[in-house]
Amino acid sequence: MAYTVITKPTAGTAVSKANFGDPVVDNFAYLYALRDEAVWVPLNGAIDLAVTDLAYFRIPAKISGSTLYSVAAHCKDASSSGAVELAVKNGATSMLTTNITIDQGEWDTSTAAIPAVIDTANDDVATGDFIEISVVSAGVGVTYCGVELVFRPA
């Protein structure tokens, strides 16, 4: 997405979609995206992914008050048998209503048949929250798997 030029508003005119159309909405989306904080959380390395693998991430003050905006996962070597399923929790509370899935033979969640769904009732974070990434299903032969969490300020 790129910045879109809009006509200069006159004094007293609100900058809104009603007054300036879709470019205003596009610009706000672009500006919000600039504030996003992406965090990469690795789960494993050259050793195959296992259901016992866990990773943790502490929420720093910089992103306190943000919400989990998007999630993704990637691996270097795809599963040769079975899908990879990953859960994201804030303490004991799941932040997803549908877990992250990397389908068998795939490397990334961008091609997942069933995309992850963020639980909007449990997507807020505060300084010191301890985010846990756990492996629900490991597939076979998966290496260098990690999760990307994108937080957007409220």
Side-chain angles (χ1 to χ4, degrees), residues 39-86:
V39 179
W40 177 254
V41 184
L43 281 161
N44 70 324
I47 306 294
D48 288 358
L49 189 66
V51 293
T52 55
D53 289 334
L54 296 169
Y56 296 94
F57 170 71
R58 180 189 177 277
I59 298 296
K62 181 179 180 180
I63 60 176
S64 184
S66 296
T67 58
L68 182 61
Y69 180 72
S70 67
V71 295
H74 188 86
C75 59
K76 181 178 181 275
D77 295 311
S79 173
S80 60
S81 178
V84 173
E85 184 179 348
L86 309 168

Side-chain angles (χ1 to χ4, degrees), residues 136-150:
V136 177
S137 175
V140 174
V142 177
T143 61
Y144 299 97
C145 186
V147 174
E148 177 188 71
L149 305 172
V150 177

Side-chain angles (χ1 to χ4, degrees), residues 7 15-18 22-23 28 32-33 38 47 57 85 127 131 148:
T7 58
V15 178
S16 67
K17 182 176 179 176
D22 286 331
F28 284 139
Y32 276 118
I47 306 294
F57 170 71
E85 184 179 348
T127 302
I131 307 301
E148 177 188 71

